[in-house]
């Protein structure tokens, strides 16, 4: 975006009195930047609208980031127990929350999560997607958003 502003104002280093005007390309680039900004704003709104639920208290985590099973509870229903078909899954993102498989929409199947990969709750996943898209300069699609 800074390069676009510089070019439209002075050209490259102001060296050319008659700079080449790439008006169509410039207009497309400005439109793309505007779309990216709006999709990031929508992603941020989505992240705030996702029912956050209550996080596991920070003091329940030890110095290695591990938490005792007795401190884990579902951020949505607040229940700490689980069953074989409704396990509690801890988010590997910064939110410090856990969810029952059945409390998420769509339902999460913990058995489908590869052991060597972490799992992110919908809110943390949307935040990572927005950050990655912003870094790549791309628009993104967030559930419930029209961008």
């Amino acid at each position: 975006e800074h390069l676009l502003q510089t070019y439209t104002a002075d050209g490259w280093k102001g060296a050319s009195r008659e700079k080449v005007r790439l008006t169509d390309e410039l207009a497309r680039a400005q439109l793309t930047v505007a779309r990216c900004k709006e999709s990031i704003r929508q992603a941020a709104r989505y992240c705030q609208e996702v029912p956050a639920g209550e996080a596991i208290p920070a003091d329940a985590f030890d110095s290695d980031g591990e938490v005792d099973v007795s401190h884990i509870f579902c951020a949505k229903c607040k229940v700490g127990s689980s069953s074989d078909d409704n396990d509690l899954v801890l988010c590997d993102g910064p939110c410090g929350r856990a969810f029952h498989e059945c409390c998420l929409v769509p339902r999460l199947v913990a058995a489908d999560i590869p052991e060597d990969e972490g799992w992110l709750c919908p809110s943390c996943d949307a935040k990572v997607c927005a950050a990655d898209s912003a870094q790549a300069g791309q628009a993104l699609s967030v559930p419930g958003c029209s961008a």
Side-chain angles (χ1 to χ4, degrees), residues 31-80:
L31 182 62
T32 300
V33 168
R35 280 191 203 137
C36 288
K37 283 182 175 181
E38 181 55 28
S39 65
I40 290 168
R41 284 186 198 100
Q42 287 179 346
R45 282 191 295 271
Y46 174 77
C47 291
Q48 290 176 340
E49 292 168 2
V50 171
E54 192 173 335
I56 298 167
D59 60 357
F61 291 87
D62 65 18
S63 61
D64 294 328
E66 299 292 322
V67 63
D68 188 77
V69 167
S70 64
H71 294 290
I72 299 175
F73 59 91
C74 179
K76 186 171 182 181
C77 71
K78 312 289 189 270
V79 175

Side-chain angles (χ1 to χ4, degrees), residues 11-32:
W12 302 118
K13 298 181 182 177
S16 173
R17 289 191 183 272
E18 291 185 32
K19 57 187 171 185
V20 176
R21 286 277 182 186
L22 304 172
T23 53
D24 292 340
E25 290 80 1
L26 186 60
R28 273 196 302 272
Q30 289 171 331
L31 182 62
T32 300

Side-chain angles (χ1 to χ4, degrees), residues 80-99:
S81 61
S82 63
S83 61
D84 289 341
D85 63 337
N86 193 22
D87 200 7
L88 266 169
V89 182
L90 190 61
C91 177
D92 290 316
C95 71
R97 297 179 295 160
F99 294 90

